[in-house]
Amino acid sequence: MIRVNLLPFRLERKKENIRRQVSIFFLVIIFSLLLLTWYTLGLGKKIEQTRLDIEAVNRQIALYKGKADRVAQIKKDLKILKNKLEIVDSLKNKRNEHFDLIAELPGRLVPEKMWIEALKADSAKVEIKGVAFDNPTIAEFMKNLEALGWFTQVDLKQSVVRKLSDGHMLKAFELSCMKPVAPEPEETDKKKKKGK
């Protein structure tokens, strides 16, 4: 019988298997390194793109912040201008009130029994100083002022006897006429907003 020594063949096969496994191991390592390098490069590009996007957004924020600051300043200036215009309108109305009062006052006097010496007006009241022949004339003048409808209250502050150089006795009087209080412009705006 012939004997064949298979040991070197098995040994050779074992070595071949080991070489194959080592080759596969190194190929897996090289493939993993290539994959990691590709992933890292892709991630680096994404990070760079995100950084560029953030810079662009920050530039836009700075641009819009400047515009927003300008809009806020314009709103503030408009509010100041609106307040000034309301003051001008108020002054025009008050000027017209005083002209109307001066134009209307002679028609409310009791003819040939009294005259006005001084007239002082402000936003809350009108003070009238004058001279009349007697107290009923003063009372009639007060009724005429109340009938005008411009005042909430007409009060006689004082009435004193004044003696003229020719001996005639007259009544010097002082009246205080209260005007209705107009609401502040901001209060009326608030009331309108609440009503909506």
Side-chain angles (χ1 to χ4, degrees):
M1 178 177 335
I2 302 176
R3 290 180 140 189
V4 178
N5 187 0
L6 295 176
L7 197 57
F9 179 73
R10 284 185 189 161
L11 188 61
E12 200 55 42
R13 204 176 205 186
K14 231 180 191 181
K15 285 180 184 179
E16 183 70 27
N17 278 341
I18 290 174
R19 271 189 237 131
R20 190 179 304 145
Q21 287 177 359
V22 169
S23 297
I24 291 173
F25 176 73
F26 282 118
L27 283 174
V28 168
I29 288 177
I30 290 171
F31 181 73
S32 299
L33 288 174
L34 288 174
L35 187 64
L36 285 174
T37 304
W38 176 79
Y39 181 73
T40 305
L41 290 175
L43 199 59
K45 285 181 182 179
K46 284 183 181 178
I47 290 171
E48 182 63 24
Q49 184 60 42
T50 304
R51 187 184 63 76
L52 292 174
D53 291 345
I54 289 172
E55 286 177 2
V57 168
N58 285 337
R59 282 193 300 272
Q60 286 182 345
I61 287 172
L63 175 71
Y64 291 127
K65 184 180 183 310
K67 289 181 180 181
D69 291 344
R70 275 187 37 216
V71 168
Q73 183 63 38
I74 289 170
K75 284 182 180 180
K76 184 179 175 185
D77 292 345
L78 282 175
K79 185 176 180 183
I80 290 170
L81 184 61
K82 182 180 175 185
N83 289 340
K84 287 180 181 180
L85 288 174
E86 287 175 357
I87 290 169
V88 168
D89 288 342
S90 172
L91 290 174
K92 282 181 183 177
N93 291 339
K94 288 188 188 326
R95 182 184 67 183
N96 292 339
E97 282 179 14
H98 295 154
F99 286 144
D100 292 344
L101 178 64
I102 291 170
E104 188 69 33
L105 198 57
R108 301 298 171 173
L109 294 175
V110 178
E112 300 179 8
K113 291 187 177 183
M114 67 178 300
W115 63 92
I116 302 294
E117 292 181 327
L119 178 69
K120 182 180 174 186
D122 60 24
S123 61
K125 65 181 176 177
V126 175
E127 292 182 358
I128 302 172
K129 292 182 182 179
V131 179
F133 284 133
D134 53 17
N135 284 336
T137 302
I138 297 170
E140 186 177 345
F141 178 59
M142 289 174 66
K143 285 181 187 174
N144 289 344
L145 288 177
E146 287 173 350
L148 189 60
W150 291 356
F151 307 112
T152 57
Q153 184 177 342
V154 178
D155 292 327
L156 180 64
K157 286 176 75 174
Q158 71 176 18
S159 173
V160 294
V161 176
R162 185 188 291 173
K163 186 175 182 179
L164 297 178
S165 59
D166 62 357
H168 285 90
M169 304 293 275
L170 298 174
K171 290 281 189 170
F173 65 90
E174 186 175 337
L175 298 178
S176 176
C177 307
M178 302 302 289
K179 294 181 180 179
V181 178
E184 292 291 323
E186 291 179 6
E187 290 178 11
T188 55
D189 290 344
K190 289 178 185 174
K191 288 179 183 176
K192 288 179 184 176
K193 287 178 184 175
K194 285 182 183 177
K196 289 182 178 179

